[in-house]
Short mmCIF file of all heavy atoms in Angstrom, two decimals:
data_model
loop_
_atom_site.label_atom_id
_atom_site.label_comp_id
_atom_site.label_asym_id
_atom_site.label_seq_id
_atom_site.Cartn_x
_atom_site.Cartn_y
_atom_site.Cartn_z
N ARG A 24 0.82 -1.21 0.00
CA ARG A 24 0.00 0.00 0.00
C ARG A 24 0.85 1.26 0.00
O ARG A 24 0.33 2.37 0.06
CB ARG A 24 -0.94 -0.01 1.21
CG ARG A 24 -1.92 -1.17 1.17
CD ARG A 24 -2.77 -1.29 2.41
NE ARG A 24 -3.59 -2.50 2.36
CZ ARG A 24 -4.37 -2.93 3.35
NH1 ARG A 24 -4.43 -2.25 4.50
NH2 ARG A 24 -5.07 -4.05 3.21
N VAL A 25 2.19 1.07 -0.08
CA VAL A 25 3.11 2.20 -0.04
C VAL A 25 4.19 1.99 -1.10
O VAL A 25 4.79 0.91 -1.17
CB VAL A 25 3.78 2.34 1.34
CG1 VAL A 25 4.68 3.56 1.38
CG2 VAL A 25 2.73 2.39 2.45
N ALA A 26 4.46 3.01 -1.91
CA ALA A 26 5.49 2.88 -2.94
C ALA A 26 6.15 4.22 -3.19
O ALA A 26 5.55 5.27 -2.97
CB ALA A 26 4.88 2.34 -4.24
N SER A 27 7.40 4.15 -3.64
CA SER A 27 8.11 5.34 -4.10
C SER A 27 8.76 5.02 -5.43
O SER A 27 9.08 3.86 -5.71
CB SER A 27 9.16 5.79 -3.07
OG SER A 27 10.18 4.82 -2.93
N PHE A 28 8.97 6.04 -6.23
CA PHE A 28 9.56 5.85 -7.56
C PHE A 28 10.41 7.05 -7.93
O PHE A 28 9.97 8.19 -7.81
CB PHE A 28 8.46 5.65 -8.60
CG PHE A 28 8.98 5.47 -10.01
CD1 PHE A 28 9.71 4.35 -10.35
CD2 PHE A 28 8.74 6.42 -10.98
CE1 PHE A 28 10.20 4.17 -11.64
CE2 PHE A 28 9.22 6.27 -12.27
CZ PHE A 28 9.95 5.13 -12.60
N MET A 29 11.63 6.76 -8.39
CA MET A 29 12.52 7.80 -8.89
C MET A 29 12.63 7.65 -10.41
O MET A 29 13.15 6.64 -10.89
CB MET A 29 13.89 7.71 -8.24
CG MET A 29 13.89 7.95 -6.74
SD MET A 29 15.57 7.94 -6.01
CE MET A 29 16.23 9.52 -6.63
N PHE A 30 12.11 8.63 -11.15
CA PHE A 30 12.25 8.60 -12.60
C PHE A 30 13.72 8.53 -13.00
O PHE A 30 14.06 7.92 -14.01
CB PHE A 30 11.60 9.84 -13.22
CG PHE A 30 10.11 9.72 -13.40
CD1 PHE A 30 9.24 10.02 -12.36
CD2 PHE A 30 9.57 9.30 -14.61
CE1 PHE A 30 7.87 9.91 -12.52
CE2 PHE A 30 8.20 9.19 -14.79
CZ PHE A 30 7.34 9.49 -13.73
N ALA A 31 14.56 9.15 -12.22
CA ALA A 31 16.01 9.12 -12.44
C ALA A 31 16.68 9.62 -11.17
O ALA A 31 16.03 10.21 -10.30
CB ALA A 31 16.41 9.98 -13.64
N ASN A 32 17.97 9.39 -11.06
CA ASN A 32 18.72 9.91 -9.92
C ASN A 32 18.85 11.42 -10.01
O ASN A 32 18.67 12.02 -11.08
CB ASN A 32 20.12 9.29 -9.86
CG ASN A 32 20.08 7.82 -9.50
OD1 ASN A 32 19.09 7.31 -8.96
ND2 ASN A 32 21.17 7.11 -9.78
N ASP A 33 19.18 12.03 -8.89
CA ASP A 33 19.45 13.46 -8.86
C ASP A 33 20.63 13.78 -9.78
O ASP A 33 21.49 12.93 -10.04
CB ASP A 33 19.79 13.86 -7.41
CG ASP A 33 19.90 15.35 -7.24
OD1 ASP A 33 19.38 16.10 -8.08
OD2 ASP A 33 20.51 15.77 -6.25
N VAL A 34 20.68 14.99 -10.28
CA VAL A 34 21.72 15.46 -11.20
C VAL A 34 21.75 14.58 -12.46
O VAL A 34 22.81 14.36 -13.05
CB VAL A 34 23.12 15.49 -10.54
CG1 VAL A 34 24.04 16.44 -11.30
CG2 VAL A 34 23.05 15.95 -9.08
N SER A 35 20.59 14.03 -12.82
CA SER A 35 20.55 13.12 -13.97
C SER A 35 20.85 13.85 -15.27
O SER A 35 20.28 14.89 -15.56
CB SER A 35 19.17 12.47 -14.07
OG SER A 35 19.07 11.71 -15.27
N GLY A 36 21.78 13.29 -16.02
CA GLY A 36 22.09 13.82 -17.35
C GLY A 36 21.41 13.03 -18.44
O GLY A 36 21.86 13.04 -19.59
N ARG A 37 20.32 12.35 -18.10
CA ARG A 37 19.59 11.52 -19.06
C ARG A 37 19.35 12.27 -20.36
O ARG A 37 18.91 13.42 -20.37
CB ARG A 37 18.26 11.09 -18.45
CG ARG A 37 17.27 10.45 -19.39
CD ARG A 37 17.68 9.07 -19.81
NE ARG A 37 17.76 8.15 -18.68
CZ ARG A 37 18.09 6.87 -18.80
NH1 ARG A 37 18.41 6.39 -19.99
NH2 ARG A 37 18.15 6.09 -17.73
N ASN A 38 19.65 11.62 -21.48
CA ASN A 38 19.45 12.23 -22.79
C ASN A 38 17.99 12.08 -23.22
O ASN A 38 17.46 10.97 -23.23
CB ASN A 38 20.38 11.57 -23.81
CG ASN A 38 20.42 12.33 -25.12
OD1 ASN A 38 19.39 12.57 -25.74
ND2 ASN A 38 21.61 12.70 -25.55
N PHE A 39 17.34 13.18 -23.54
CA PHE A 39 15.95 13.16 -23.94
C PHE A 39 15.79 13.48 -25.42
O PHE A 39 14.78 14.06 -25.85
CB PHE A 39 15.14 14.16 -23.10
CG PHE A 39 14.72 13.62 -21.76
CD1 PHE A 39 15.60 13.63 -20.70
CD2 PHE A 39 13.45 13.09 -21.58
CE1 PHE A 39 15.22 13.13 -19.46
CE2 PHE A 39 13.06 12.58 -20.35
CZ PHE A 39 13.94 12.61 -19.29
N SER A 40 16.75 13.08 -26.22
CA SER A 40 16.68 13.38 -27.65
C SER A 40 15.56 12.63 -28.35
O SER A 40 15.27 12.90 -29.52
CB SER A 40 18.02 13.04 -28.32
OG SER A 40 18.36 11.68 -28.13
N PHE A 41 14.91 11.70 -27.65
CA PHE A 41 13.74 11.04 -28.25
C PHE A 41 12.54 11.98 -28.31
O PHE A 41 11.54 11.68 -28.96
CB PHE A 41 13.37 9.76 -27.47
CG PHE A 41 13.08 9.96 -26.00
CD1 PHE A 41 11.83 10.39 -25.59
CD2 PHE A 41 14.05 9.70 -25.05
CE1 PHE A 41 11.56 10.56 -24.24
CE2 PHE A 41 13.78 9.86 -23.70
CZ PHE A 41 12.53 10.29 -23.29
N LEU A 42 12.64 13.13 -27.65
CA LEU A 42 11.60 14.16 -27.74
C LEU A 42 11.95 15.13 -28.85
O LEU A 42 13.11 15.55 -28.98
CB LEU A 42 11.46 14.92 -26.42
CG LEU A 42 11.04 14.11 -25.19
CD1 LEU A 42 11.02 15.01 -23.95
CD2 LEU A 42 9.68 13.47 -25.40
N ASP A 43 10.96 15.50 -29.64
CA ASP A 43 11.19 16.43 -30.75
C ASP A 43 11.79 17.74 -30.24
O ASP A 43 11.27 18.35 -29.30
CB ASP A 43 9.88 16.73 -31.48
CG ASP A 43 9.37 15.53 -32.27
OD1 ASP A 43 10.18 14.63 -32.54
OD2 ASP A 43 8.17 15.51 -32.60
N GLY A 44 12.86 18.15 -30.86
CA GLY A 44 13.45 19.43 -30.55
C GLY A 44 14.33 19.46 -29.32
O GLY A 44 14.83 20.53 -28.93
N VAL A 45 14.57 18.30 -28.69
CA VAL A 45 15.39 18.26 -27.47
C VAL A 45 16.75 17.64 -27.79
O VAL A 45 16.83 16.56 -28.37
CB VAL A 45 14.70 17.45 -26.35
CG1 VAL A 45 15.61 17.35 -25.13
CG2 VAL A 45 13.38 18.10 -25.98
N LYS A 46 17.79 18.34 -27.41
CA LYS A 46 19.16 17.86 -27.59
C LYS A 46 19.92 18.09 -26.29
O LYS A 46 19.75 19.12 -25.63
CB LYS A 46 19.85 18.59 -28.74
CG LYS A 46 19.18 18.40 -30.10
CD LYS A 46 19.91 19.17 -31.19
CE LYS A 46 19.24 18.98 -32.53
NZ LYS A 46 19.93 19.75 -33.61
N GLY A 47 20.76 17.15 -25.93
CA GLY A 47 21.54 17.30 -24.71
C GLY A 47 20.89 16.63 -23.52
O GLY A 47 19.80 16.06 -23.60
N GLY A 48 21.60 16.69 -22.39
CA GLY A 48 21.16 16.01 -21.19
C GLY A 48 20.21 16.84 -20.35
O GLY A 48 20.17 18.08 -20.43
N HIS A 49 19.43 16.16 -19.50
CA HIS A 49 18.43 16.81 -18.67
C HIS A 49 19.06 17.84 -17.73
O HIS A 49 18.60 18.98 -17.63
CB HIS A 49 17.68 15.73 -17.88
CG HIS A 49 16.50 16.24 -17.13
ND1 HIS A 49 15.79 15.45 -16.25
CD2 HIS A 49 15.88 17.45 -17.10
CE1 HIS A 49 14.79 16.14 -15.74
NE2 HIS A 49 14.83 17.36 -16.22
N HIS A 50 20.10 17.44 -17.00
CA HIS A 50 20.72 18.35 -16.04
C HIS A 50 21.28 19.58 -16.73
O HIS A 50 21.11 20.71 -16.26
CB HIS A 50 21.82 17.61 -15.27
CG HIS A 50 22.47 18.46 -14.23
ND1 HIS A 50 23.85 18.57 -14.10
CD2 HIS A 50 21.95 19.24 -13.25
CE1 HIS A 50 24.12 19.39 -13.09
NE2 HIS A 50 23.00 19.80 -12.57
N GLU A 51 21.92 19.38 -17.86
CA GLU A 51 22.49 20.50 -18.60
C GLU A 51 21.41 21.49 -19.02
O GLU A 51 21.55 22.70 -18.87
CB GLU A 51 23.22 19.98 -19.84
CG GLU A 51 23.72 21.08 -20.77
CD GLU A 51 24.15 20.55 -22.12
OE1 GLU A 51 24.14 19.31 -22.31
OE2 GLU A 51 24.48 21.38 -22.99
N LEU A 52 20.29 20.97 -19.50
CA LEU A 52 19.21 21.85 -19.96
C LEU A 52 18.51 22.54 -18.80
O LEU A 52 17.97 23.64 -18.97
CB LEU A 52 18.21 21.04 -20.79
CG LEU A 52 18.72 20.54 -22.14
CD1 LEU A 52 17.73 19.59 -22.77
CD2 LEU A 52 19.00 21.72 -23.07
N SER A 53 18.50 21.90 -17.62
CA SER A 53 17.88 22.55 -16.46
C SER A 53 18.65 23.79 -16.04
O SER A 53 18.08 24.72 -15.47
CB SER A 53 17.78 21.56 -15.29
OG SER A 53 19.03 21.31 -14.70
N HIS A 54 19.95 23.84 -16.34
CA HIS A 54 20.75 25.05 -16.12
C HIS A 54 20.61 25.93 -17.37
O HIS A 54 21.57 26.15 -18.12
CB HIS A 54 22.21 24.68 -15.86
CG HIS A 54 22.44 24.08 -14.51
ND1 HIS A 54 22.85 24.83 -13.43
CD2 HIS A 54 22.28 22.82 -14.06
CE1 HIS A 54 22.95 24.04 -12.36
NE2 HIS A 54 22.62 22.81 -12.72
N HIS A 55 19.41 26.45 -17.55
CA HIS A 55 19.05 27.11 -18.80
C HIS A 55 19.65 28.50 -18.95
O HIS A 55 19.74 29.03 -20.05
CB HIS A 55 17.54 27.19 -18.93
CG HIS A 55 16.86 27.76 -17.71
ND1 HIS A 55 16.86 29.11 -17.41
CD2 HIS A 55 16.17 27.15 -16.72
CE1 HIS A 55 16.20 29.31 -16.29
NE2 HIS A 55 15.76 28.14 -15.84
N GLU A 56 20.05 29.12 -17.84
CA GLU A 56 20.64 30.46 -17.87
C GLU A 56 19.74 31.45 -18.60
O GLU A 56 20.22 32.39 -19.24
CB GLU A 56 22.03 30.41 -18.52
CG GLU A 56 23.01 29.52 -17.76
CD GLU A 56 24.33 29.37 -18.47
OE1 GLU A 56 24.31 29.22 -19.72
OE2 GLU A 56 25.36 29.39 -17.80
N ASN A 57 18.41 31.19 -18.53
CA ASN A 57 17.41 32.04 -19.19
C ASN A 57 17.58 32.10 -20.71
O ASN A 57 17.10 33.03 -21.35
CB ASN A 57 17.42 33.46 -18.59
CG ASN A 57 16.93 33.46 -17.16
OD1 ASN A 57 15.93 32.83 -16.83
ND2 ASN A 57 17.66 34.16 -16.29
N ASN A 58 18.24 31.09 -21.24
CA ASN A 58 18.36 30.95 -22.68
C ASN A 58 17.07 30.32 -23.21
O ASN A 58 16.70 29.22 -22.82
CB ASN A 58 19.57 30.06 -23.02
CG ASN A 58 19.75 29.86 -24.51
OD1 ASN A 58 18.89 29.33 -25.18
ND2 ASN A 58 20.93 30.25 -25.01
N GLN A 59 16.39 31.01 -24.10
CA GLN A 59 15.06 30.57 -24.53
C GLN A 59 15.09 29.19 -25.17
O GLN A 59 14.17 28.38 -24.97
CB GLN A 59 14.46 31.59 -25.50
CG GLN A 59 12.98 31.35 -25.81
CD GLN A 59 12.10 31.37 -24.57
OE1 GLN A 59 12.32 32.14 -23.65
NE2 GLN A 59 11.09 30.49 -24.55
N LYS A 60 16.11 28.88 -25.95
CA LYS A 60 16.18 27.57 -26.59
C LYS A 60 16.32 26.46 -25.56
O LYS A 60 15.69 25.40 -25.70
CB LYS A 60 17.35 27.53 -27.58
CG LYS A 60 17.15 28.40 -28.82
CD LYS A 60 18.29 28.24 -29.80
CE LYS A 60 18.04 29.07 -31.06
NZ LYS A 60 19.16 28.93 -32.04
N LYS A 61 17.12 26.70 -24.54
CA LYS A 61 17.26 25.71 -23.48
C LYS A 61 15.97 25.58 -22.68
O LYS A 61 15.56 24.48 -22.30
CB LYS A 61 18.42 26.08 -22.55
CG LYS A 61 19.80 25.78 -23.10
CD LYS A 61 20.86 25.96 -22.03
CE LYS A 61 22.22 25.52 -22.51
NZ LYS A 61 23.26 25.64 -21.45
N ILE A 62 15.33 26.72 -22.42
CA ILE A 62 14.09 26.71 -21.64
C ILE A 62 13.02 25.87 -22.36
O ILE A 62 12.31 25.07 -21.73
CB ILE A 62 13.58 28.15 -21.42
CG1 ILE A 62 14.48 28.86 -20.40
CG2 ILE A 62 12.14 28.14 -20.94
CD1 ILE A 62 14.17 30.33 -20.25
N GLU A 63 12.91 26.03 -23.67
CA GLU A 63 11.91 25.28 -24.43
C GLU A 63 12.15 23.78 -24.34
O GLU A 63 11.21 22.99 -24.18
CB GLU A 63 11.93 25.73 -25.89
CG GLU A 63 11.39 27.15 -26.10
CD GLU A 63 11.57 27.63 -27.51
OE1 GLU A 63 12.16 26.87 -28.33
OE2 GLU A 63 11.13 28.77 -27.81
N GLN A 64 13.41 23.38 -24.39
CA GLN A 64 13.73 21.95 -24.29
C GLN A 64 13.50 21.44 -22.86
O GLN A 64 12.98 20.33 -22.66
CB GLN A 64 15.18 21.73 -24.71
CG GLN A 64 15.46 22.07 -26.16
CD GLN A 64 16.92 21.92 -26.52
OE1 GLN A 64 17.43 20.81 -26.64
NE2 GLN A 64 17.61 23.05 -26.68
#
């Protein structure tokens, strides 16, 4: 009756290039520096 799930570890650099328009790792893109292209991904 109790479960937990981690989609990925913290600081995950998982590549999400299977999504249209996404290039690079998750952690890298989260540090978007207010760059609009990074924010969109």
Side-chain angles (χ1 to χ4, degrees):
R24 297 174 186 175
V25 183
S27 65
F28 179 66
M29 296 184 73
F30 277 85
N32 291 342
D33 188 20
V34 201
S35 173
R37 169 71 62 180
N38 191 305
F39 277 82
S40 58
F41 58 82
L42 298 178
D43 290 341
V45 176
K46 298 179 180 179
H49 188 187
H50 182 229
E51 174 193 355
L52 291 171
S53 73
H54 287 265
H55 50 76
E56 299 174 319
N57 292 315
N58 180 299
Q59 190 59 36
K60 291 184 177 180
K61 283 189 174 183
I62 288 172
E63 290 173 358
Q64 296 176 73

